[in-house]
Amino acid sequence: MKITSLSPPTAAIALLAAAVFAVATVAQAPQGPPQGPPQGPQPGGSGRPPRTYPAPTNLKVLPKDTTGQQIHEIMEGWAGSLGVHCDTCHSADPKNLGPNGRPRLKFDDDSKPEKQMARIMYKMTEDMKKNYIEKVADMDKMDSPAAPLTCGTCHRGHLDPEEFVPPHEEGPRGPGGPPPAGAMPNMPDMQH
Ligand code: HEC
Ligand code: HEC
């Protein structure tokens, strides 16, 4: 009798637990193709349906055996490092409209100069890693470079890397606080 009166809530808890477990399991499924890496709004993107990424057909600098999934991750990284979307480098195909009526991107097309530039940049970055950064690491007897070189090392979220403006100079004696009002900036101390 006690048991029957306890039953409904117990059943409810069991159900709830099962539901939570199911949700957690789905959320943790590591290879779930529908989710993929986080994606911003993408012009020409096909929306939510499960996506598999087709094998690339026009690689000229990335290794030829790079998979579609790997390409997608690399591209997300480049876009993020430069603070741009896919259509900065990839041209739209007016003959291939997505469900939203907007043209899809033709990823294997090479007509945008930004894409060509990105290829040069990739080769430059790989060259710097192999021929410079790794040598520095060897000389320092480090296991691996402290800061790996990426597109973001220079671009920092901008298509054109911003000009570096040195912070306000701090004189030869180190930080001395703000100069007195009216002091000439960057003038050597001529008092003595
Ligand atoms: C900074 C420029 C740039 C951005 C931004 C960029 N890509 Fe790319 N993408 C390239 C370059 C360059 C290649 C060709 C690489 C090569 O030649 O090895 C490429 C190749 C590809 C390919 C393979 C095409 C083929 O069949 O050969 C796909 C797919 C792709 N990009 C998708 C994307 C997606 C999706 C995004 C946005 C998340 C994106 N790209 C953002 C420059 C870019
Ligand atoms: C060592 C610094 C450095 C690294 C690393 C680097 N870039 Fe650049 N990138 C530059 C500079 C400098 C420019 C020239 C900007 C300008 O024209 O004002 C540039 C220009 C570009 C442009 C052309 C921008 C435009 O205005 O059309 C693209 C695209 C680009 N980089 C992509 C990349 C990608 C992708 C990577 C990584 C694979 C990368 N860069 C790595 C320094 C770098």
Side-chain angles (χ1 to χ4, degrees):
M1 343 112 152
K2 278 265 159 73
I3 288 162
T4 38
S5 70
L6 272 175
S7 253
T10 310
I13 287 164
L15 252 172
L16 186 70
V20 166
F21 177 75
V23 168
T25 310
V26 168
Q28 282 171 9
Q31 315 288 16
Q35 296 294 16
Q39 248 184 55
Q42 200 186 106
S46 53
R48 290 286 80 118
R51 287 185 81 154
T52 51
Y53 301 107
T57 56
N58 185 25
L59 297 187
K60 294 182 176 155
V61 294
L62 292 168
K64 301 271 186 219
D65 58 354
T66 312
T67 65
Q69 177 71 37
Q70 287 167 332
I71 287 284
H72 202 83
E73 281 155 20
I74 293 166
M75 293 295 143
E76 292 277 353
W78 288 5
S81 298
L82 273 56
V84 298
H85 293 296
C86 315
D87 61 348
T88 297
C89 297
H90 293 289
S91 60
D93 181 359
K95 281 177 269 163
N96 181 3
L97 300 183
N100 57 4
R102 291 165 66 190
R104 291 198 172 99
L105 298 181
K106 193 164 164 32
F107 290 112
D108 59 352
D109 177 75
D110 284 347
S111 59
K112 291 204 100 178
E114 289 84 357
K115 185 178 181 187
Q116 312 281 6
M117 183 71 93
R119 285 195 170 115
I120 297 174
M121 286 280 146
Y122 173 78
K123 284 169 76 176
M124 176 190 77
T125 306
E126 289 303 295
D127 182 68
M128 287 167 83
K129 283 200 281 198
K130 231 179 238 91
N131 292 313
Y132 301 93
I133 308 278
E134 278 176 20
K135 285 182 186 159
V136 173
D138 282 350
M139 277 176 69
D140 284 354
K141 305 236 180 340
M142 294 188 296
D143 290 335
S144 60
L149 182 70
T150 68
C151 314
T153 306
C154 297
H155 281 268
R156 310 223 156 235
H158 301 279
L159 183 55
D160 290 327
E162 286 197 319
E163 188 189 347
F164 174 67
V165 181
H168 204 280
E169 264 191 39
E170 293 175 341
R173 283 174 226 130
M184 296 283 284
N186 300 337
M187 285 289 286
D189 184 354
M190 306 292 275
Q191 301 293 337
H192 312 107

